[in-house]
Amino acid sequence: RRLGAASVSAPPRSAPPAPAPPPRFPRPPTMQEDRRNLAPQDEALRIVGEPGDESARTYIFRDEDHTLGNSLRHVLMRHEHTDFCGYSVPHPSEPLMNVRLQTRNGVPAKTVLDEGLRQLGAICDSLTAQLEKEAGLATTRKRSDSAATFPGPGRFGTKPAKSPLEKAKEMTDAG
């Protein structure tokens, strides 16, 4: 080669583009895709426990949270055959709620859970009926009527407090 002379070389051959590597962390399935992969009986409830011991089970409820968990735990703990009951929501971003139930005297956990769910349903029905009844009464009352009817805490057995207008009227009548 001579200095100053341009060197001419053949253009490099273009190689076919390499295939894109698979994503390191695959996209999690959407809720609809996830539900398609579940058997119909597993969609709302999954039961975990030893096959030989029916007195201890973990029930995994889908799309439930502390609202059902704490209420159901409370009802189940009051059952005479419940030895232990607890619930947890593993993570706020997961639509799962776990209920652990252990019974005594050989009573199957499923039986206690069924009775507890029926009892909780009856409590909810009773509360709904009471709220609908009171809502009907509340719409027919005026605000001033409810203050005299429901005096509030600490005022039972005493006369309702006078309004500032009533106090001012008494002062002008007395003077």
Side-chain angles (χ1 to χ4, degrees), residues 162 165-175:
K162 294 180 182 178
L165 185 60
E166 291 172 332
K167 289 180 184 177
K169 186 176 178 184
E170 282 181 1
M171 293 173 72
T172 56
D173 291 342

Side-chain angles (χ1 to χ4, degrees), residues 16-92:
R24 185 171 173 171
F25 299 105
R27 175 185 63 81
T30 63
M31 186 69 87
Q32 290 176 340
E33 291 170 342
D34 192 31
R35 285 187 177 174
R36 275 188 235 128
N37 296 332
L38 295 173
Q41 68 271 19
D42 292 338
E43 193 166 306
L45 175 69
R46 197 170 88 205
I47 302 170
V48 179
E50 293 293 322
D53 185 15
E54 291 186 8
S55 65
R57 292 282 186 261
T58 299
Y59 298 94
I60 303 172
F61 293 85
R62 292 186 65 79
D63 299 324
E64 295 296 344
D65 58 11
H66 295 283
T67 305
L68 176 66
N70 195 31
S71 303
L72 184 58
R73 181 203 56 82
H74 176 78
V75 169
L76 291 173
M77 281 302 296
R78 297 178 61 92
H79 194 280
E80 63 182 326
H81 295 295
T82 298
D83 193 33
F84 170 80
C85 184
Y87 85 97
S88 67
V89 175
H91 194 275

Side-chain angles (χ1 to χ4, degrees), residues 53-56 79-82 101-113 115:
D53 185 15
E54 291 186 8
S55 65
H79 194 280
E80 63 182 326
H81 295 295
T82 298
L101 178 61
Q102 295 174 348
T103 60
R104 56 177 90 113
N105 302 331
V107 176
K110 182 186 182 316
T111 304
V112 174
L113 179 70
E115 290 176 17

Side-chain angles (χ1 to χ4, degrees), residues 92-103:
S93 68
E94 293 179 13
L96 300 174
M97 187 262 307
N98 303 325
V99 174
R100 176 69 179 175
L101 178 61
Q102 295 174 348
T103 60

Side-chain angles (χ1 to χ4, degrees), residues 121-142:
I123 291 169
C124 291
D125 291 342
S126 173
L127 283 173
T128 300
Q130 289 177 18
L131 286 172
E132 287 173 353
K133 177 183 170 190
E134 291 298 321
L137 291 174
T139 57
T140 61
R141 287 190 183 138
K142 291 188 248 175

